[in-house]
Short mmCIF file of all heavy atoms in Angstrom, two decimals:
data_model
loop_
_atom_site.label_atom_id
_atom_site.label_comp_id
_atom_site.label_asym_id
_atom_site.label_seq_id
_atom_site.Cartn_x
_atom_site.Cartn_y
_atom_site.Cartn_z
N ARG A 27 10.31 70.64 14.60
CA ARG A 27 10.21 69.96 15.90
C ARG A 27 9.77 68.51 15.75
O ARG A 27 10.16 67.65 16.52
CB ARG A 27 9.20 70.69 16.82
CG ARG A 27 9.74 71.97 17.42
CD ARG A 27 8.81 72.51 18.49
NE ARG A 27 7.44 72.68 18.06
CZ ARG A 27 6.96 73.71 17.37
NH1 ARG A 27 7.77 74.68 16.99
NH2 ARG A 27 5.68 73.79 17.05
N ARG A 28 8.95 68.24 14.77
CA ARG A 28 8.43 66.87 14.56
C ARG A 28 9.34 66.04 13.67
O ARG A 28 9.07 64.88 13.41
CB ARG A 28 7.03 66.92 13.94
CG ARG A 28 6.01 67.66 14.78
CD ARG A 28 5.52 66.80 15.92
NE ARG A 28 4.47 67.46 16.66
CZ ARG A 28 4.61 67.99 17.86
NH1 ARG A 28 5.78 67.97 18.46
NH2 ARG A 28 3.60 68.57 18.47
N GLY A 29 10.40 66.66 13.15
CA GLY A 29 11.34 65.93 12.29
C GLY A 29 10.83 65.74 10.87
O GLY A 29 11.30 64.86 10.15
N PHE A 30 9.88 66.57 10.44
CA PHE A 30 9.37 66.51 9.07
C PHE A 30 10.14 67.52 8.24
O PHE A 30 10.33 68.66 8.66
CB PHE A 30 7.88 66.86 9.01
CG PHE A 30 7.00 66.03 9.89
CD1 PHE A 30 5.97 66.61 10.61
CD2 PHE A 30 7.16 64.65 10.00
CE1 PHE A 30 5.13 65.87 11.42
CE2 PHE A 30 6.33 63.89 10.81
CZ PHE A 30 5.31 64.50 11.53
N ASN A 31 10.59 67.13 7.06
CA ASN A 31 11.33 68.03 6.20
C ASN A 31 10.37 68.76 5.25
O ASN A 31 9.42 68.16 4.75
CB ASN A 31 12.37 67.26 5.39
CG ASN A 31 13.29 68.19 4.63
OD1 ASN A 31 13.70 69.22 5.15
ND2 ASN A 31 13.60 67.84 3.39
N ILE A 32 10.64 70.02 5.00
CA ILE A 32 9.90 70.79 4.00
C ILE A 32 10.75 70.82 2.73
O ILE A 32 11.85 71.36 2.74
CB ILE A 32 9.61 72.22 4.50
CG1 ILE A 32 8.69 72.18 5.72
CG2 ILE A 32 9.00 73.05 3.38
CD1 ILE A 32 8.45 73.55 6.36
N GLU A 33 10.25 70.21 1.66
CA GLU A 33 10.97 70.25 0.38
C GLU A 33 10.84 71.61 -0.27
O GLU A 33 11.77 72.13 -0.84
CB GLU A 33 10.40 69.18 -0.56
CG GLU A 33 10.76 67.78 -0.16
CD GLU A 33 11.35 67.01 -1.31
OE1 GLU A 33 11.05 67.30 -2.47
OE2 GLU A 33 12.13 66.10 -1.02
N SER A 34 9.62 72.18 -0.22
CA SER A 34 9.42 73.55 -0.70
C SER A 34 8.21 74.14 0.01
O SER A 34 7.34 73.41 0.48
CB SER A 34 9.24 73.61 -2.23
OG SER A 34 7.93 73.27 -2.61
N ILE A 35 8.21 75.46 0.09
CA ILE A 35 7.09 76.17 0.70
C ILE A 35 6.91 77.49 -0.03
O ILE A 35 7.89 78.19 -0.29
CB ILE A 35 7.30 76.37 2.22
CG1 ILE A 35 6.06 76.99 2.87
CG2 ILE A 35 8.54 77.17 2.50
CD1 ILE A 35 6.08 76.95 4.39
N THR A 36 5.68 77.77 -0.43
CA THR A 36 5.36 79.07 -1.02
C THR A 36 4.23 79.66 -0.21
O THR A 36 3.35 78.94 0.27
CB THR A 36 4.94 78.95 -2.50
OG1 THR A 36 3.80 78.10 -2.60
CG2 THR A 36 6.05 78.40 -3.36
N VAL A 37 4.27 80.96 -0.04
CA VAL A 37 3.25 81.65 0.75
C VAL A 37 2.85 82.91 0.02
O VAL A 37 3.71 83.63 -0.50
CB VAL A 37 3.79 82.03 2.14
CG1 VAL A 37 2.68 82.65 2.99
CG2 VAL A 37 4.41 80.85 2.85
N GLY A 38 1.56 83.18 -0.02
CA GLY A 38 1.08 84.41 -0.64
C GLY A 38 -0.36 84.67 -0.26
O GLY A 38 -1.00 83.86 0.42
N GLN A 39 -0.85 85.81 -0.70
CA GLN A 39 -2.23 86.18 -0.41
C GLN A 39 -3.18 85.14 -0.99
O GLN A 39 -2.89 84.50 -1.99
CB GLN A 39 -2.56 87.53 -1.05
CG GLN A 39 -1.82 88.69 -0.46
CD GLN A 39 -2.14 89.99 -1.19
OE1 GLN A 39 -2.41 89.99 -2.39
NE2 GLN A 39 -2.07 91.09 -0.47
N SER A 40 -4.32 84.98 -0.33
CA SER A 40 -5.36 84.10 -0.87
C SER A 40 -6.49 84.96 -1.42
O SER A 40 -6.39 86.19 -1.47
CB SER A 40 -5.89 83.18 0.25
OG SER A 40 -6.73 83.90 1.13
N GLU A 41 -7.57 84.32 -1.79
CA GLU A 41 -8.73 85.04 -2.33
C GLU A 41 -9.49 85.79 -1.24
O GLU A 41 -10.31 86.65 -1.54
CB GLU A 41 -9.67 84.07 -3.07
CG GLU A 41 -10.33 83.00 -2.21
CD GLU A 41 -9.42 81.84 -1.83
OE1 GLU A 41 -8.25 81.77 -2.24
OE2 GLU A 41 -9.92 80.97 -1.10
N GLU A 42 -9.21 85.49 0.03
CA GLU A 42 -9.89 86.16 1.14
C GLU A 42 -8.94 87.15 1.82
O GLU A 42 -7.81 86.80 2.16
CB GLU A 42 -10.36 85.13 2.17
CG GLU A 42 -11.60 84.38 1.76
CD GLU A 42 -12.16 83.55 2.90
OE1 GLU A 42 -12.42 84.10 3.99
OE2 GLU A 42 -12.32 82.34 2.68
N VAL A 43 -9.42 88.37 2.03
CA VAL A 43 -8.63 89.40 2.70
C VAL A 43 -8.30 88.92 4.12
O VAL A 43 -9.16 88.39 4.82
CB VAL A 43 -9.40 90.73 2.75
CG1 VAL A 43 -8.64 91.77 3.56
CG2 VAL A 43 -9.67 91.24 1.35
N GLY A 44 -7.04 89.06 4.52
CA GLY A 44 -6.63 88.67 5.86
C GLY A 44 -6.16 87.24 5.98
O GLY A 44 -5.73 86.81 7.04
N LEU A 45 -6.24 86.47 4.88
CA LEU A 45 -5.79 85.07 4.89
C LEU A 45 -4.72 84.87 3.83
O LEU A 45 -4.78 85.44 2.75
CB LEU A 45 -6.96 84.12 4.61
CG LEU A 45 -8.10 84.09 5.63
CD1 LEU A 45 -9.16 83.08 5.21
CD2 LEU A 45 -7.60 83.78 7.03
#
Side-chain angles (χ1 to χ4, degrees):
R27 284 190 307 278
R28 301 281 185 253
F30 305 138
N31 188 41
I32 295 175
E33 288 231 333
S34 80
I35 185 168
T36 59
V37 185
Q39 293 177 329
S40 75
E41 65 283 358
E42 283 189 54
V43 175
L45 297 181

